[in-house]
Amino acid sequence: MTVRRDFQEPARCRPDLVIGRDELFTAARDQLGRGGSVLLHGPAGIGKSTVLRSLTADYARAARTVLRCSATESESHLPFLALADLLGQVLHRVSDKLPAAQSTALESALTGRGESTLQRDGLALRLAVLSALRALAVDGPVLVVADDVQWLDSASAELLGFAARRLGDTPVQLLAAVRTDGQEYDRHLRAAPPDTLAVRLGALSRAQVSALLENRGYTGLPRSTVRDIHRTSGGNPLFALELGRALAENPTPPRPGEPLPVPTSLRALVLSRLEMLSAEARHTLLVASAGARPTLALLRAAGRENAEAETARAAELGLLATEPEGPAVRFAHPLISAALYAEAPAHERRAAHAALSTAASDPIERARHLALATAGTDPGVAARLAGAAALARDRGAPSVAASLMLLSARHTPANGAPGPDERRLQAAEDAIMAGEVDLARDIAREVLTRATVPADRVRAWMVVIEAAGQALGEVDAVFPQVLADAGDDPRLLALVHYQLAWRALVVEGDFAEGREEAAHAAELAARGGDRRTELLALAFQAQAETLMGHPDAPATIKRALKEPQDPQVACHHNGAGSTRLRWLLMGDQLSEARSTVTALLREVRRRGMVESEVHFLRMLAEAELRSGHCGRALDLSRESLRLARDSGIGEVASAVLTSLAEASGGDVQRGLALAEEAVRHAEDDGDQIYMSRALAALGYVQLVAGDAPGTVRSLRRVRELEHGLGVTDPARGRWHGDLAEALVLIGEPDEARDLIEVTREQALRLGRESTLAVLDRGEALLRAARGEHDAACAQLTSVQDRLAKLGCGLEEARTAFALARLRTRRPGPTSYDEAARLFRRCRALPWLRQVDAAIASGAAEPAVPAPAPVVPDALEGLASMERQVAALVMEGATNREIAGRLFISVKTVEATLTRVYRKLGIRSRVDIVRLAAARHAR
């Protein structure tokens, strides 16, 4: 299934909003905060002015004086113009503080009265600018803001450079932006203060371009279009916005295989040097722009006999990038290619494609060029395109296959067999596989407006449902329509009931109903001879039974793996291979799980199955995390999340796994933010399945962060949700041990004991060894809470050994840490050596920080003090943890001291005291001390 949701809050529509520049913005802000200067540089349109405005807004308030100038090319020949912008408004503040000669020269230069020139008054003017800046700085810091420094008139640039090099410790800072290509900012840096930081602005990522377009109001663009905008703009913000505007204003979108429409403003910007080429050279570049991977050999084969000389001339003019190695012909910027193609008349484009249709060596390229060279319908061209699409599909390029099938549909006659709509539906299914769900949904909706054949309509409805992803509630109204279209055809009904199984699981949160729908779908598919749908339905049934702890699960998995197999289903994320992988992970067969998922990931990448790639990256990350390879898990989960965000597929699931990996081996606060986002989005989608997963992740992150009450709140909700779902296998979410530990920490031992007993019974029935070991760790903590420290330590030692044999590295390390905390002797630094070693081996950095904190605290007591403090009768009604905290308060311990002695967070101490106050009917620590005094008085 797919998810169409970005894990970002929508940006406000502000033209000065900085997007995708966090790191460089931080570097520039830090530099300015230290009193230094900043030079922003990069190519035209890259966003320098936007960053400059934002930084100025941040730091203008800290300066006593802000001097601004913004140069333009048309005015760069006017001497002293930039200097007049900077100092013209403050001349009255400094003129009487300058020597007469300097004051006269400066006033003459700024006002234009007199004949001041650098040649005539050079020294006086230079010293005047330096003195003026020093005089302004006497009143407070001065910030000089200069945009488009490349257009500064030469006189102003010389004067400012002279002053900047001599300001020394004077509190004058420069914040400037200059247009550069490559590293040519050096000469501008030499004219800046010595402490200037050069910050280069680079291209935006695809996700950042998408956020920029959304921010400027270009909403609802398909992800495939955003991808094309990113590719054509080269990540340049200005170019991307202009392309977005052109698309918004163009009622007819580009046809498949054609570049984006390039607005006149950008054509003029990038093609100004084209007029310097001959007509023949321009035609050669047009052929290159029409080719997917142009080379000199390809251009010569397409009839461009002088291609080498013509491309060399284009490279001299900056239209082509020089390639010292290799035969490729590459444009200096993707926009040049797009603009050149857009500028050419239609007949010249067709001629270029016609030449390439015979010159290209790849059959897919030949078919594409033939289609773009042909006007109107042509059955032969349509058939060649369909064959090329099949070849692209086999090569693992479903996105290319979708584009080719759309071209094939355009050239297919209305009465053709197969018809144009059948080919459009194949394109939609290819788009789904490629992760282009917006394109797929749009194609299917278009087909539904005119299709009358039941098979075509059901097929189109299936695409619409697939494109909805986990948000199946949004397409609830579709199911009655598709059932009506399916009639009594078992093949069509099998497709519908398979999707109804997903609906039961995701929308209704009912595993039992989902299992029944899947079994019915498998039966219908078998009756209709649809092996692919039968295998998918059996895989769903097996996965539901696995998570339910149903005894038939192993048998159903065997049925799903039985030959004959469909090659695509075998590696599909909803296929039997994935179900078996989940079974291996739940059964603690981690080594086999890693090798299995690695093979699956390799295959789906070969086939270009984006959604399955996202899924198996997550699964591999989970296997690595379970094995204690936290660094590797973090890298994989982040890769999965990046791909999910880029494609709009599986974002909630990837965020859940990444939050776990961040809390185990990365940034706990980042993990917390991701888990909270996942919970919100699962709630918005009405997704019961990932709601429980997201809450389980949130509970774990809260535990790592030291928020035991938060963990209890989150995991109690998981317990309720899984009970409603019918999930009985504790290996599904593995949250039970975390809840038990948190319950002990907040003083709820009875609930912890009940949880352990119920879960242990289920784990014993299913043979979940690692789950049993973690439950035993929780039981050891319970024993310690009762003062049975020797027994607790012995049990933890056994648990650690069992987890080590299972290969559960992180849980092994957590157990060693718990054991170190419960030692009866005064710990000292060395008692944590084993836990620290194991956490380092796992690269579990957040857990290592907890070990460091425990060592630094020098805490002498075990997690639950032994012997426990004497508890007065007034505290007997409190829970165990509450009594211990209250008793320590009576002894005069501070919250921090209590946290250190009980090995809990200060926040947990505060929360526990709040409950104590409420239960005892008192208001403060003072009242607890009074209880102690009353006991001594007796």
Side-chain angles (χ1 to χ4, degrees):
M1 306 299 287
T2 58
V3 177
R4 300 172 290 110
R5 185 177 299 283
D6 292 329
F7 271 73
Q8 298 171 349
E9 292 296 322
R12 294 180 180 178
C13 188
R14 277 179 29 210
D16 63 337
L17 186 68
V18 177
I19 292 175
R21 307 295 191 192
D22 294 343
E23 290 186 12
L24 66 86
F25 206 84
T26 299
R29 186 184 286 120
D30 291 346
Q31 173 74 358
L32 291 169
R34 289 191 293 267
S37 297
V38 173
L39 177 69
L40 306 170
H41 67 97
I46 204 66
K48 302 179 297 297
S49 296
T50 299
V51 175
L52 186 82
R53 285 194 298 269
S54 294
L55 288 169
T56 302
D58 281 355
Y59 283 90
R61 292 186 293 273
R64 173 68 175 81
T65 304
V66 180
L67 309 175
R68 305 171 191 259
C69 71
S70 182
T72 61
E73 184 177 12
S74 61
E75 298 172 341
S76 61
H77 65 286
L78 300 174
F80 306 123
L81 185 61
L83 193 67
D85 287 342
L86 289 169
L87 297 178
Q89 300 299 315
V90 296
L91 182 61
H92 65 282
R93 290 174 51 190
V94 298
S95 58
D96 60 344
K97 300 176 183 178
L98 305 181
Q102 293 181 24
S103 179
T104 300
L106 183 60
E107 184 174 355
S108 176
L110 297 184
T111 62
R113 295 191 294 270
E115 299 180 358
S116 181
T117 65
L118 271 181
Q119 184 175 1
R120 174 181 168 181
D121 302 314
L123 182 58
L125 273 174
R126 288 174 171 84
L127 293 175
V129 173
L130 177 61
S131 299
L133 291 172
R134 284 174 173 166
L136 290 169
V138 170
D139 298 331
V142 177
L143 179 65
V144 179
V145 181
D147 199 3
D148 284 319
V149 170
Q150 74 277 1
W151 303 132
L152 284 185
D153 62 274
S154 58
S156 296
E158 165 61 27
L159 292 171
L160 289 172
F162 175 88
R165 291 189 295 272
R166 289 165 175 80
L167 283 168
D169 295 332
T170 306
V172 176
Q173 295 173 263
L174 174 68
L175 175 56
V178 60
R179 179 187 301 180
T180 57
D181 292 312
Q183 300 297 314
E184 7 174 291
Y185 66 89
D186 285 350
R187 63 186 179 90
H188 300 289
L189 197 59
R190 286 194 293 272
D195 61 347
T196 300
L197 173 69
V199 178
R200 177 169 177 78
L201 277 71
L204 298 181
S205 68
R206 189 190 305 181
Q208 290 162 353
V209 166
S210 177
L212 178 66
L213 293 167
E214 290 276 343
N215 166 251
R216 298 301 176 85
Y218 303 124
T219 57
L221 292 173
R223 288 181 181 271
S224 56
T225 301
V226 173
R227 179 196 62 199
D228 291 342
I229 290 175
H230 178 256
R231 183 179 63 242
T232 304
S233 69
N236 184 295
L238 173 64
F239 297 172
L241 288 171
E242 286 296 296
L243 290 167
R245 180 180 61 78
L247 281 169
E249 294 174 354
N250 187 355
T252 306
R255 298 186 303 177
E258 290 187 347
L260 297 175
V262 180
T264 305
S265 58
L266 292 186
R267 294 189 200 185
L269 179 64
V270 301
L271 296 181
S272 57
R273 287 165 286 190
L274 194 65
E275 296 176 357
M276 302 175 69
L277 289 174
S278 67
E280 287 298 309
R282 288 199 297 271
H283 191 73
T284 295
L285 290 190
L286 173 62
V287 175
S289 72
R293 295 176 295 276
T295 63
L296 288 173
L298 177 65
L299 294 177
R300 285 192 292 267
R304 312 311 303 163
E305 297 177 356
N306 298 318
E308 191 164 356
E310 291 163 349
T311 55
R313 175 58 179 155
E316 290 175 6
L317 295 173
L319 292 165
L320 295 178
T322 56
E323 294 283 358
E325 297 180 3
V329 175
R330 185 170 63 84
F331 284 89
H333 192 283
L335 190 62
I336 297 174
S337 174
L340 181 63
Y341 188 92
E343 188 77 11
H347 70 276
E348 289 188 11
R349 295 186 204 173
R350 285 197 295 272
H353 286 296
L356 289 168
S357 69
T358 57
S361 59
D362 186 87
I364 293 176
E365 279 301 295
R366 288 199 301 271
R368 185 179 74 87
H369 288 302
L370 179 61
L372 295 173
T374 304
T377 60
D378 186 318
V381 171
R384 282 189 61 179
L385 285 163
L391 182 58
R393 210 172 294 122
D394 289 342
R395 288 182 181 178
S399 180
V400 175
S403 177
L404 291 168
M405 286 306 297
L406 285 175
L407 284 170
S408 177
R410 197 180 84 207
H411 289 287
T412 301
N415 59 352
D421 279 347
E422 188 172 344
R423 283 176 166 155
R424 288 188 183 94
L425 288 172
Q426 180 61 62
E429 290 164 355
D430 287 330
I432 284 283
M433 185 183 297
E436 298 178 8
V437 292
D438 296 325
L439 174 62
R441 184 180 55 254
D442 291 345
I443 296 170
R445 292 285 189 188
E446 179 195 351
V447 170
L448 284 166
T449 60
R450 57 176 175 269
T452 57
V453 178
D456 287 348
R457 290 188 61 80
V458 170
R459 194 174 170 189
W461 283 126
M462 290 301 103
V463 171
V464 171
I465 293 169
E466 283 283 345
Q470 298 295 124
L472 282 175
E474 296 178 4
V475 293
D476 230 12
V478 163
F479 287 101
Q481 299 178 57
V482 69
L483 279 169
D485 285 333
D488 58 0
D489 187 326
R491 289 177 64 92
L492 301 182
L493 284 171
L495 293 170
V496 181
H497 283 279
Y498 174 66
Q499 294 296 346
L500 283 170
W502 279 107
R503 181 192 174 279
L505 196 62
V506 173
V507 179
E508 300 297 333
D510 192 333
F511 271 84
E513 183 183 346
R515 173 180 176 270
E516 290 175 7
E517 287 286 2
H520 186 39
E523 180 187 345
L524 287 166
R527 198 189 319 158
D530 182 357
R531 181 62 174 165
R532 182 178 188 277
T533 302
E534 181 187 6
L535 290 170
L536 285 170
L538 285 170
F540 181 102
Q541 180 184 345
Q543 182 152 315
E545 290 172 350
T546 297
L547 298 176
M548 293 168 66
H550 197 285
D552 290 348
T556 308
I557 291 175
K558 287 182 180 179
R559 287 178 60 201
L561 291 169
K562 189 177 179 181
E563 295 293 341
Q565 285 289 314
D566 181 293
Q568 186 170 311
V569 173
C571 63
H572 194 274
H573 59 280
N574 288 328
S578 180
T579 302
R580 178 176 175 273
L581 173 60
R582 173 59 60 191
W583 179 266
L584 291 171
L585 283 170
M586 293 174 68
D588 301 315
Q589 300 178 60
L590 299 180
S591 179
E592 188 175 355
R594 279 201 304 276
S595 61
T596 299
V597 69
T598 300
L600 288 167
L601 185 58
R602 187 185 307 115
E603 180 63 15
V604 297
R605 280 174 167 165
R606 187 187 71 81
R607 291 175 175 269
M609 299 166 67
V610 175
E611 184 172 3
S612 294
E613 181 180 357
V614 172
H615 175 85
F616 289 127
L617 277 170
R618 283 198 309 271
M619 297 287 277
L620 182 54
E622 182 180 345
E624 297 290 4
L625 192 60
R626 291 276 316 284
S627 301
H629 306 150
C630 298
R632 172 71 172 148
L634 187 59
D635 291 342
L636 288 165
S637 62
R638 286 174 174 173
E639 183 182 354
S640 171
L641 186 57
R642 280 194 299 269
L643 183 57
R645 284 175 168 170
D646 195 36
S647 62
I649 295 172
E651 291 181 73
V652 173
S654 292
V656 166
L657 201 284
T658 308
S659 71
L660 292 169
E662 290 283 1
S664 299
D667 184 335
V668 177
Q669 292 306 311
R670 170 69 173 156
L672 191 62
L674 283 170
E676 289 172 344
E677 275 187 294
V679 170
R680 287 197 301 273
H681 291 314
E683 283 178 329
D684 291 344
D685 288 340
D687 184 348
Q688 300 293 314
I689 297 300
Y690 275 104
M691 171 60 77
S692 66
R693 288 188 179 275
L695 283 168
L698 178 59
Y700 171 75
V701 180
Q702 289 167 325
L703 185 64
V704 178
D707 181 12
T711 297
V712 171
R713 286 193 300 273
S714 298
L715 297 185
R716 279 173 174 166
R717 288 185 65 190
V718 177
R719 182 172 59 190
E720 293 170 5
L721 281 169
E722 291 203 350
H723 179 73
L725 290 167
V727 175
T728 61
D729 193 332
R732 182 216 180 214
R734 299 181 181 275
W735 49 267
H736 309 76
D738 293 337
L739 178 54
E741 182 175 339
L743 286 168
V744 173
L745 288 174
I746 67 168
E748 297 290 350
D750 294 340
E751 184 180 346
R753 183 180 61 253
D754 292 344
L755 171 71
I756 290 170
E757 289 177 356
V758 171
T759 309
R760 179 181 283 131
E761 182 179 348
Q762 297 164 343
L764 282 169
R765 177 174 61 85
L766 297 167
R768 304 305 191 207
E769 292 298 329
S770 64
T771 302
L772 287 167
V774 171
L775 291 172
D776 285 350
R777 184 175 68 207
E779 185 175 59
L781 296 177
L782 273 173
R783 287 184 169 181
R786 296 195 297 264
E788 303 171 14
H789 296 285
D790 290 342
C793 288
Q795 188 168 19
L796 285 175
T797 302
S798 171
V799 168
Q800 182 181 342
D801 183 60
R802 288 155 59 193
L803 289 168
K805 290 177 180 176
L806 290 169
C808 300
L810 183 58
E811 294 294 352
E812 177 193 358
R814 285 181 62 181
T815 307
F817 188 30
L819 182 59
R821 286 173 153 178
L822 288 179
R823 297 294 186 189
T824 53
R825 60 184 177 83
R826 176 171 289 274
T830 56
S831 65
Y832 288 95
D833 285 354
E834 175 70 359
R837 181 184 68 80
L838 291 173
F839 281 135
R840 277 195 296 271
R841 186 183 68 182
C842 295
R843 222 185 86 181
L845 303 182
W847 286 104
L848 261 175
R849 285 191 283 272
Q850 287 198 28
V851 174
D852 291 341
I855 294 172
S857 71
E861 302 296 333
V864 181
V870 177
V871 180
D873 296 341
L875 305 186
E876 287 298 336
L878 300 179
S880 173
M881 178 63 70
E882 294 166 351
R883 290 197 305 272
Q884 294 158 34
V885 170
L888 288 170
V889 169
M890 290 177 173
E891 294 177 4
T894 66
N895 285 5
R896 185 170 297 280
E897 289 169 344
I898 295 170
R901 292 181 66 180
L902 299 183
F903 289 89
I904 58 178
S905 68
V906 173
K907 184 183 294 186
T908 301
V909 173
E910 293 168 351
T912 304
L913 280 174
T914 299
R915 291 196 303 275
V916 169
Y917 300 156
R918 185 177 65 251
K919 290 183 178 181
L920 297 182
I922 59 179
R923 296 184 178 181
S924 68
R925 296 170 61 95
V926 175
D927 293 329
I928 296 180
V929 174
R930 285 173 181 160
L931 286 174
R935 176 173 65 86
H936 288 304
R938 288 199 302 269

